[in-house]
């Protein structure tokens, strides 16, 4: 599905569970390249967090430890 929309010039939004985040980021990098992304969690809650960077960006695993491979 991502391959079908990879060339669209629009902002793409994906919803993913924390335990599948790392695999999804690897898939996105292989399909979309090292594209700018934002990862958000706990939206509308007291611990809301938004991370911005690139798909392969440094610090994704340390920022989202639940995303590491199990």
């Amino acid at each position: 599905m991502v391959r079908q929309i990879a060339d669209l010039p629009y902002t793409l939004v994906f919803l993913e569970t924390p335990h599948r985040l790392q695999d999804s980021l690897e898939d996105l990098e292989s399909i979309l390249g090292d594209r700018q992304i934002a990862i958000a969690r706990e939206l509308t809650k007291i611990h809301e967090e938004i991370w911005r960077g690139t798909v392969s960006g440094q610090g994704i695993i340390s920022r989202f430890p639940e995303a590491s491979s199990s």
Side-chain angles (χ1 to χ4, degrees):
M1 179 179 170
V2 176
R3 290 185 200 287
Q4 296 171 342
I5 61 174
D7 293 328
L8 292 177
Y10 315 115
T11 298
L12 306 175
V13 177
F14 302 95
L15 301 176
E16 190 56 90
T17 61
H19 69 275
R20 291 190 334 202
L21 181 60
Q22 183 61 33
D23 289 338
S24 295
L25 290 171
E26 290 171 5
D27 290 343
L28 289 175
E29 184 177 16
S30 70
I31 295 168
L32 301 176
D34 198 21
R35 193 167 173 155
Q36 290 288 317
I37 63 168
I39 299 174
R41 68 176 177 180
E42 302 292 336
L43 295 178
T44 74
K45 297 178 183 164
I46 194 167
H47 300 292
E48 178 178 306
E49 184 176 8
I50 300 173
W51 181 89
R52 292 173 180 87
T54 60
V55 175
S56 69
Q58 297 289 330
I60 289 177
I61 296 303
S62 63
R63 176 69 68 179
F64 300 101
E66 67 275 13
S68 61
S69 300
S70 44

